[in-house]
Amino acid sequence: MSHTKSNSAIAHDFEESKVSSQDYLNYLQEKQKRERLLAANPQAPTNFIFADEKMLRIREIIKQIADANVPVLISGESGTGKEVIARMIHMSSNRKSDPFVAVNCAALPPTLLESELFGFEKGAFTGAHQQHAGKFEQANHGTLLLDEVTETDQGLQAKLLRALQEQEIERIGGNGPIKIDTRIIATTNRDIARSVKDGRFRQDLFYRLYVIHLEIPPLRDRPKDIEVLTRHFLKAFSLQFKGEAATLTADAMQKLLKYSWPGNVRELQNVIQRAVLMTQGNTVTAKEFVLEQKKVDEDLEWVKHLPIGQKMREVETQFILETLRTHNGNRTHSAKTLGISLRTLRNKINEFVLEGHEVPQPTTGKAL
């Protein structure tokens, strides 16, 4: 049975959702403003800087598949540079003169995400005063990046599958399909195969996306990249803030090489930026790097108190419910504590409700 909704049903869902049409129009205005700022920002993440053998191999694969009109799935921890890889694929392809359009699937509730991806016709819902072309159309003849694709819900996954299979989409409120020529690149920081097994991600969509799979190793496994990226960020930020290139002491580099970088390249960039700003003079030393290296033995002490014998799913359920109780049912704070997106937490809560669990409600009366 198909789970794809009709356009009239989607428009009705939008009308009935907690997100008002005015909120959506405000979102569109803010998004356009951010895109203009990004276009004017010369430090946009397009540089592919590396020295590690694993990344050299990825570069060779990119050269091989750049012009192939097939989907690419990029996986890896947050901050490893998945979007940079996606941009490199686009810029290495015969589509490089056409748009590269990115959308963060975890940043919007389902109704807004669907409107953003597929667009809508004038009058499709209250507040739709003009036609809006979605991301698929904006990326026509170019590349569409679906960032954190595993955060989409099952209904939207069905529409994505159809777009991939048929190379056509339909706007909300539209009267017929629109042909598209858009290459899809998807990213995830999750174990997507596990998401399929757990029923959170459609198997047929997984196989459609899994034609080419690139797994980006974490920065801690790429010591050569730590060094070249450090020198790149050091030069860029010192020229930006001090007007001249700074130098780095040997002990400072050793400190960076020994760190585990849980936030990967994004964390390294922030650490170097802070060090440049805080350094008196033009030489950055080890003391300028504030790195919170956790003590493994202390951090894992709680593992000894886990209820051995219970299934992982049961432990996860109780852990999430207890976190919600600690935050008085506040979804936003709980998701932040758990290190997951708000959408993932909401999906988990829906599963718990279906399984009969009592889920703590926000004391404010709003599911924040």
Side-chain angles (χ1 to χ4, degrees), residues 69-139:
N69 187 24
V70 295
V72 180
L73 178 66
I74 305 172
S75 61
E77 295 178 7
S78 294
T80 49
K82 296 186 292 294
E83 182 171 345
V84 174
I85 299 295
R87 288 180 181 275
M88 185 181 184
I89 294 170
H90 174 73
M91 294 306 297
S92 301
S93 75
N94 51 20
R95 295 173 179 263
K96 63 183 178 183
S97 298
D98 290 296
F100 176 91
V101 179
V103 58
N104 187 335
C105 298
L108 294 171
T111 304
L112 289 189
L113 181 57
E114 191 162 7
S115 298
E116 186 68 2
L117 284 172
F118 296 98
F120 52 81
E121 296 290 349
K122 180 180 178 180
F125 47 81
T126 303
H129 300 303
Q130 60 185 11
Q131 183 189 81
H132 174 67
K135 295 293 189 183
F136 272 98
E137 290 181 79
Q138 293 173 34

Side-chain angles (χ1 to χ4, degrees), residues 316-328 334 360:
E316 179 193 56
T317 299
Q318 295 306 318
F319 189 75
I320 292 174
L321 291 174
E322 186 58 35
T323 302
L324 283 163
R325 293 187 193 100
T326 301
H327 289 293
N328 298 316
S334 297

